[in-house]
Amino acid sequence: MGSEEVRRYVGGVLRARADAYDWDALRTVAGFADGLSAQGPSELAVRACRAAGGADEPAFPAAASLHALHVAIHLVDDIIDGEERPSVHLPPGLRANLALALQSIAIELLDDAPTDVRAALMRAAAAAGRETARGQELDAGGADDEEGCWRIVEAKTPPLFTAALRMGALLGGATPGAAEALAAAGVPIGVLIQLGDDLGDVMSELLHPDWQRPGDNLALRFALEADHPDRGEFAALVTRVADPAAYARAREILVHSGAFSFCVHHMRVAAAEARRIVLAAPLADPGPVLELVDSLAAPIADLLARAGVEECDLELALV
């Protein structure tokens, strides 16, 4: 089975609940399953199940649970950041209400899992929601220094991916110890994703809200604090990025200041650490998870091309 079967299952169970509750907003969320990412937590759970020696289908309840959690997290994150998601046409309060419902539904969906692992799966889903909420609060408060920025990165994104690996492995027949060993890869996977998002957000042609809180984005923080010739100019430009010329110049400085190279370097470190953990875990076949890690690291080449950075220039910037 492949991603299409996962999408059908996830969309189906959520639509069934939306119909049962006669809830239009939940029907919209069910429709999101049609665009379920091939690199997201739901797919990761299926791959972890396969890596543990199971088939894809046993992981479907976890995939549905993780999708509900993922949407809930995005809804709340957008409210905190002041962003809008036009696909959910609700005022902020009702979007928060929908997120609360989705967190509850994420637990309910695991009732379809085998009884011997059901409680462990529910605990994993609950922990992912709680830990991510704590990470979102840390993110909203901002970071005072680089260490604080890294603490936010490690707190906000990894919990959902850690849960995906743990849940998938358990559904594939892994022992609790093996599932725990594999779940540890969720931290570097989450860091890899967050750093890619940070870079993609600030290098986008469209101005991203991260520019309004530059201390919370590792690339922007590097350009503001590292010792490079254009640091003063960059600090001044950050206050004027609404001007297209200032925004273009600020992105140029991100590249040649070493900020871009800094993030790409740490993305590669995270990808290598994730591979190391996966290979060390007692799995039937680590290949399915390793393939996803490789696909998450692949956009590094695209980021370099978009920024016009050569590999040799990247290495020089890290010296």
Side-chain angles (χ1 to χ4, degrees), residues 222-244:
F222 183 100
L224 284 167
E225 297 181 355
D227 185 14
H228 63 90
D230 298 312
R231 185 171 64 179
E233 181 187 359
F234 185 80
L237 287 168
V238 166
T239 66
R240 299 190 293 109
V241 287
D243 172 44

Side-chain angles (χ1 to χ4, degrees), residues 140-296:
D144 294 328
D145 51 27
E146 184 182 331
E147 182 181 348
C149 203
W150 279 113
R151 187 162 54 249
I152 290 170
V153 168
E154 292 177 357
K156 184 178 177 182
T157 306
L160 199 60
F161 292 88
T162 297
L165 289 166
R166 181 179 290 113
M167 294 163 77
L170 288 171
L171 287 163
T175 65
E180 192 67 21
L182 179 61
V187 174
I189 288 174
V191 169
L192 172 60
I193 290 168
Q194 186 60 56
L195 288 174
D197 286 348
D198 276 5
L199 265 187
D201 290 342
V202 298
M203 295 304 294
S204 171
E205 293 293 329
L206 298 175
L207 188 62
H208 190 273
D210 274 10
W211 286 93
Q212 305 304 315
R213 298 191 306 160
D216 298 342
N217 181 295
L218 279 166
L220 296 179
R221 178 177 281 276
F222 183 100
L224 284 167
E225 297 181 355
D227 185 14
H228 63 90
D230 298 312
R231 185 171 64 179
E233 181 187 359
F234 185 80
L237 287 168
V238 166
T239 66
R240 299 190 293 109
V241 287
D243 172 44
Y247 183 46
R249 174 60 180 156
R251 284 184 293 154
E252 287 178 9
I253 294 175
L254 277 176
V255 174
H256 65 240
S257 68
F260 191 94
S261 298
F262 174 82
C263 288
V264 168
H265 168 71
H266 283 286
M267 287 175 70
R268 286 178 167 160
V269 169
E273 177 64 4
R275 292 186 191 100
R276 183 193 67 77
I277 293 171
V278 173
L279 287 169
L283 300 169
D285 176 16
V289 178
L290 290 174
E291 287 171 4
L292 192 139
V293 173
D294 288 343
S295 73
L296 289 170

Side-chain angles (χ1 to χ4, degrees), residues 3-262:
S3 295
E4 190 55 42
E5 286 78 9
V6 179
R7 294 187 187 102
R8 279 201 293 268
Y9 178 91
V10 173
V13 294
L14 287 173
R15 286 188 189 93
R17 278 166 172 75
D19 291 341
Y21 309 146
D22 192 22
W23 198 340
D24 287 339
L26 190 54
R27 290 189 184 96
T28 299
V29 172
F32 293 166
D34 294 338
L36 206 62
S37 171
Q39 298 177 334
S42 296
E43 175 68 17
L44 184 58
V46 173
R47 287 175 174 270
C49 185
R50 203 184 305 157
D56 287 5
E57 192 168 359
F60 286 3
S65 174
L66 289 159
H67 175 65
L69 272 176
H70 203 189
V71 175
I73 288 165
H74 275 298
L75 287 169
V76 173
D77 196 41
D78 288 348
I79 293 169
I80 293 171
D81 291 345
E83 296 181 50
E84 292 294 327
R85 276 191 181 264
S87 51
V88 181
H89 297 287
L90 292 172
L94 288 181
R95 277 183 277 151
N97 183 64
L98 178 59
L100 178 63
L102 286 168
Q103 286 185 305
S104 299
I105 289 169
I107 303 300
E108 292 176 347
L109 290 169
L110 294 169
D111 201 42
D112 293 333
T115 56
D116 59 330
V117 294
R118 188 180 299 158
L121 298 176
M122 290 179 173
R123 286 194 297 271
R130 169 179 48 76
E131 291 168 12
T132 302
R134 175 57 176 152
Q136 286 177 314
E137 183 175 300
L138 290 172
D139 187 33
D144 294 328
D145 51 27
E146 184 182 331
E147 182 181 348
C149 203
W150 279 113
R151 187 162 54 249
I152 290 170
V153 168
E154 292 177 357
K156 184 178 177 182
T157 306
L160 199 60
F161 292 88
T162 297
L165 289 166
R166 181 179 290 113
M167 294 163 77
L170 288 171
L171 287 163
T175 65
E180 192 67 21
L182 179 61
V187 174
I189 288 174
V191 169
L192 172 60
I193 290 168
Q194 186 60 56
L195 288 174
D197 286 348
D198 276 5
L199 265 187
D201 290 342
V202 298
M203 295 304 294
S204 171
E205 293 293 329
L206 298 175
L207 188 62
H208 190 273
D210 274 10
W211 286 93
Q212 305 304 315
R213 298 191 306 160
D216 298 342
N217 181 295
L218 279 166
L220 296 179
R221 178 177 281 276
F222 183 100
L224 284 167
E225 297 181 355
D227 185 14
H228 63 90
D230 298 312
R231 185 171 64 179
E233 181 187 359
F234 185 80
L237 287 168
V238 166
T239 66
R240 299 190 293 109
V241 287
D243 172 44
Y247 183 46
R249 174 60 180 156
R251 284 184 293 154
E252 287 178 9
I253 294 175
L254 277 176
V255 174
H256 65 240
S257 68
F260 191 94
S261 298
F262 174 82

